Amino acid sequence: EAGVAQSPRYKIIEKRQSVAFWCNPISGHATLYWYQQILGQGPKLLIQFQNNGVVDDSQLPKDRFSAERLKGVDSTLKIQPAKLEDSAVYLCASSLSFGGANTGELFFGEGSRLTVL
Amino acid sequence: SQELEQSPQSLIVQEGKNLTINCTSSKTLYGLYWYKQKYGEGLIFLMMLQKGGEEKSHEKITAKLDEKKQQSSLHITASQPSHAGIYLCGADILNAGNNRKLIWGLGTSLAVNP
């Protein structure tokens, strides 16, 4: 079974530039998550999708971050304009579902490491 | 303070020794996940616990859930260098809006000296 695919693996940009990350979840997984992980910290949820609807985006800095999951499959996360403090690993994860009787394992991609100079 | 506390923050053990990592939630737990992460890589699923008193084992790693204490412990028996990495616990809780939410601890960094 193919895992969660993310690209690019690494990205270096200057502040005020924009960047986009792509995630293709495991086939059939309804729930997709984008996390930000800063060095030395646990993952912080940015946005959670159930199919193509947003379940939780309370911690997404909406003035600069946006995410979409058109057609309920793959997803993109965009940062525009980037700030120095956005340097982090952006992890995408998917699961069959979350929050109900069928809540199960989250499968994580390898992450996209962003460095903002 | 963190809603999910992990301890210790870091741990260095000699190969062959046993160790325990704890994860305590300030909210009612609906489920508790344990993942392992190596630097520069994604999170690898270890175990998920959902019922009070539940205990699961995988190779030399055992995790238990104490529902009353809202706490889980991860125990590694006879540690090996391959066990080195960052162990993260994630908790399935109810947030302030009564919605289910997954929160994460800060992680425990484990080093195993040969």
Side-chain angles (χ1 to χ4, degrees):
Chain A
E1 178 183 90
V4 176
Q6 286 190 248
S7 68
R9 285 294 311 276
Y10 305 93
K11 189 75 177 177
I12 301 173
I13 60 173
E14 295 193 347
K15 59 183 179 183
R16 290 187 288 272
Q17 286 187 320
S18 62
V19 63
F21 302 112
W22 173 82
C23 173
N24 190 20
I26 291 174
S27 177
H29 280 193
T31 311
L32 185 148
Y33 316 74
W34 280 105
Y35 285 95
Q36 180 192 59
Q37 188 176 24
I38 292 172
L39 189 63
Q41 299 183 16
K44 169 189 163 186
L45 180 69
L46 293 175
I47 189 165
Q48 178 178 336
F49 292 96
Q50 184 73 14
N51 297 308
N52 60 350
V54 175
V55 172
D56 185 352
D57 64 355
S58 56
Q59 297 191 92
L60 186 74
K62 297 181 185 65
D63 57 334
R64 299 183 300 106
F65 285 64
S66 64
E68 59 183 13
R69 192 185 183 195
L70 299 174
K71 301 180 183 178
V73 183
D74 56 353
S75 175
T76 56
L77 175 72
K78 294 179 183 176
I79 308 174
Q80 182 180 10
K83 292 185 175 182
L84 296 176
E85 60 260 34
D86 298 332
S87 293
V89 175
Y90 291 86
L91 293 165
C92 179
S94 71
S95 64
L96 278 172
S97 66
F98 181 76
N102 295 323
T103 294
E105 175 184 350
L106 274 69
F107 294 81
F108 283 83
E110 292 188 319
S112 295
R113 182 175 298 277
L114 173 66
T115 302
V116 182
L117 303 176
Chain B
S1 65
Q2 281 281 120
E3 289 181 303
L4 197 60
E5 297 274 356
Q6 262 189 259
S7 63
Q9 194 173 1
S10 64
L11 199 51
I12 302 173
V13 300
Q14 204 63 34
E15 183 176 358
K17 295 293 185 186
N18 303 336
L19 64 106
T20 300
I21 299 169
N22 293 304
C23 180
T24 305
S25 170
S26 61
K27 310 267 186 183
T28 301
L29 289 170
Y30 287 86
L32 196 292
Y33 298 79
W34 284 103
Y35 280 81
K36 180 184 174 185
Q37 186 176 33
K38 292 209 166 183
Y39 182 76
E41 299 178 13
L43 279 69
I44 306 299
F45 177 75
L46 295 175
M47 274 166 275
M48 179 185 175
L49 305 164
Q50 287 185 291
K51 299 172 188 172
E54 189 171 18
E55 180 175 323
K56 287 186 177 177
S57 293
H58 175 68
E59 296 178 347
K60 292 185 179 182
I61 302 176
T62 301
K64 299 179 188 178
L65 180 63
D66 185 330
E67 208 170 36
K68 287 183 182 176
K69 292 183 181 177
Q70 294 176 174
Q71 184 179 76
S72 177
S73 59
L74 183 87
H75 186 77
I76 299 178
T77 303
S79 58
Q80 298 168 0
S82 60
H83 287 128
I86 299 170
Y87 289 80
L88 282 160
C89 68
D92 176 0
I93 62 164
L94 272 184
N95 67 7
N98 268 346
N99 296 311
R100 295 274 285 277
K101 181 179 174 179
L102 186 54
I103 59 173
W104 296 90
L106 293 180
T108 296
S109 177
L110 171 64
V112 180
N113 291 332

